[in-house]
Amino acid sequence: MARTTKASNAVQRLKERSKGAAYSMVSMADGRFFLTRSDGTATPERLSEPMEIDAFVSFVNSLEKQAPKKVSKLDQAFEQKLQNAKK
């Protein structure tokens, strides 16, 4: 169950990054996944070969430009202190 959730969350983030494109994942009986995209035709386009979970999530994460991570001022100050301490 957690494996499928990890994969489906990656696909959901991809949909958000791509402004709602019709991406879907297909879970196979052997535990591998592949990605499809529908353009409104009867048959969705297959975008990948079946992959293990970690390879699938990495592939999905690489498809669209990821949003920059939000960093608070406190996080920035802490990172600066760490960098200064290393010098």
Side-chain angles (χ1 to χ4, degrees):
M1 176 86 171
R3 293 171 48 87
T4 304
T5 302
K6 183 177 178 180
S8 63
N9 285 340
V11 173
Q12 184 61 37
R13 289 189 306 269
L14 174 61
K15 288 179 182 180
E16 291 168 5
R17 290 191 310 266
S18 64
K19 308 290 189 251
Y23 288 102
S24 297
M25 71 171 199
V26 177
S27 176
M28 300 177 64
D30 63 1
R32 295 182 299 158
F33 303 89
F34 64 90
L35 186 67
T36 63
R37 180 178 55 208
S38 177
D39 59 0
T41 61
T43 309
E45 175 187 7
R46 191 171 179 165
L47 300 176
S48 70
E49 294 301 315
M51 297 181 224
E52 296 296 326
I53 183 72
D54 292 330
F56 178 78
V57 170
S58 294
F59 172 74
V60 170
N61 287 341
S62 72
L63 286 179
E64 293 280 336
K65 182 179 178 184
Q66 300 219 9
K69 292 185 179 183
K70 294 182 181 179
V71 180
S72 72
K73 289 181 182 179
L74 292 174
D75 290 335
Q76 287 175 337
F78 180 70
E79 185 66 31
Q80 187 64 41
K81 280 187 177 186
L82 286 176
Q83 289 177 0
N84 290 340
K86 290 179 183 178
K87 292 180 181 178

